[in-house]
Amino acid sequence: MPKDPAGHLIPGRLSPALTVPASIARPEYVGRPAPREHTTGDVYTPDEIEKIRASGRIAAGAIEAVRAELHVGMTTSEMNRIAHDYVVGHGAYPSTLGYRGYPASSCTSVNEIICHGIPDDTVLEDGDLVNLDVTAYLDGFHGDLNHTFIVGEGDEQVRDLVDRTREALARGIRAVAPGREVNVIGRAIQSYARRFGYGVVRDYTGHGVGASFHSGLIIPHYDEPRYDTVMEPGMVFTIEPMLTLGTHDWEMWDDGWTVVTADRSLTAQFEHTLVVTERGAEILTLP
């Protein structure tokens, strides 16, 4: 695993970008520097929601395919290939590939990497944390989720962080209800994380997703009243809390993507795409 003298991760060698069959439809941003502005809102029809669910099911299946193969000694590039092959094998496009120039079909964020880690020749060691983020694009719609895995056993502190981050996502989802402002989601997550002294990353948030990979809607993971969009039935977005064992502050590598904790403390993340229902929320990214 590439590390500096202090034992912190450093960039490894990237593999060539994986290919997607020409028969698979690409999102509009592939081959362009940035996506077009999202102008159609975040509320979807029942038929559109089913298309988001279909994309989400493929992305979730890719994560399960990687989970089944994950082992000590595996590289994050190998994780990426498994996810890629699953997504394209089901007729979908891996949404991250070519998004604003991102070079891979998934994000693999190890240990102190909060998000957007680029798969490379990093070799996973026993006790490592690795967050796998996969989004699939099918029939004009994206479905987005991620899970954090422990490689091998992991110590109690690592296991607790992963379990509690998963629970933080669950609490955020339970806070969803029509008529509420989206800031209640962040309030639920932060109040839970505070019990354990965890940092809650603020500058990377949940987002609207569906016809666009990122619609512009912001879903906070901390208590911030200025995010006051009111939830309504049919609204689709992600919740994806990022918790750390230390600070919520972050730094970015020179690659312009990889975000790490400023104090290099361990971090975990879980994400689902969901739709607001009359009574709460329904997860759209299940296998």
Side-chain angles (χ1 to χ4, degrees):
M1 175 181 292
K3 292 181 179 178
D4 65 17
H8 301 138
L9 291 169
I10 58 175
R13 290 174 296 180
L14 302 184
S15 299
L18 300 174
T19 59
V20 178
S23 58
I24 292 177
R26 273 76 168 151
E28 54 82 17
Y29 52 74
V30 174
R32 302 174 59 240
R36 297 190 182 98
E37 182 182 359
H38 180 82
T39 60
T40 56
D42 294 288
V43 176
Y44 292 89
T45 68
D47 286 346
E48 290 170 334
I49 290 167
E50 289 310 307
K51 290 180 179 181
I52 298 170
R53 189 195 309 276
S55 298
R57 185 177 294 120
I58 292 171
I63 283 184
E64 291 305 310
V66 175
R67 184 200 302 268
E69 299 293 332
L70 189 67
H71 61 271
V72 173
M74 189 178 205
T75 67
T76 54
S77 282
E78 290 171 329
M79 294 176 64
N80 182 64
R81 175 170 286 281
I82 293 169
H84 174 92
D85 288 349
Y86 187 96
V87 171
V88 301
H90 287 76
Y93 186 91
S95 301
T96 58
L97 184 61
Y99 179 76
R100 297 184 182 273
Y102 187 80
S105 301
S106 63
C107 300
T108 53
S109 302
V110 179
N111 292 341
E112 67 263 28
I113 299 176
I114 296 170
C115 58
H116 305 159
I118 301 174
D120 58 19
D121 65 347
T122 295
V123 177
L124 298 173
E125 300 176 351
D126 185 57
D128 280 342
L129 293 176
V130 58
N131 173 28
L132 175 64
D133 194 333
V134 178
T135 307
Y137 176 78
L138 179 71
D139 202 14
F141 293 87
H142 302 266
D144 181 11
L145 81 160
N146 69 57
H147 287 305
T148 296
F149 301 118
I150 302 173
V151 183
E153 294 299 320
D155 61 26
E156 182 178 7
Q157 184 182 50
V158 165
R159 293 193 300 271
D160 284 347
L161 176 63
V162 171
D163 289 345
R164 290 165 179 167
T165 306
R166 186 187 296 110
E167 175 62 18
L169 171 60
R171 290 181 181 228
I173 293 172
R174 289 199 295 270
V176 172
R180 290 181 171 178
E181 296 179 353
V182 296
N183 57 54
V184 303
I185 297 169
R187 190 176 308 137
I189 291 168
Q190 186 177 43
S191 64
Y192 176 71
R194 186 184 292 125
R195 290 165 49 183
F196 311 104
Y198 294 156
V200 181
V201 174
R202 300 184 173 202
D203 295 329
Y204 292 87
T205 68
H207 54 89
V209 66
S212 297
F213 193 175
H214 298 86
S215 73
L217 173 65
I218 293 175
I219 307 298
H221 302 127
Y222 66 105
D223 189 2
E224 178 46 78
R226 67 189 172 96
Y227 295 117
D228 57 1
T229 301
V230 176
M231 293 179 271
E232 56 183 296
M235 184 179 286
V236 176
F237 52 80
T238 72
I239 303 175
E240 45 188 297
M242 305 159 220
L243 305 187
T244 77
L245 291 180
T247 182
H248 66 262
D249 293 327
W250 55 272
E251 298 172 354
M252 184 177 287
W253 285 359
D254 291 341
D255 61 23
W257 285 103
T258 306
V259 179
V260 298
T261 52
D263 60 3
R264 301 305 188 266
S265 60
L266 294 177
T267 179
Q269 181 186 17
F270 283 87
E271 173 187 20
H272 274 303
T273 296
L274 55 92
V275 58
V276 180
T277 67
E278 295 290 348
R279 295 186 175 184
E282 181 183 0
I283 297 172
L284 301 177
T285 39
L286 296 174

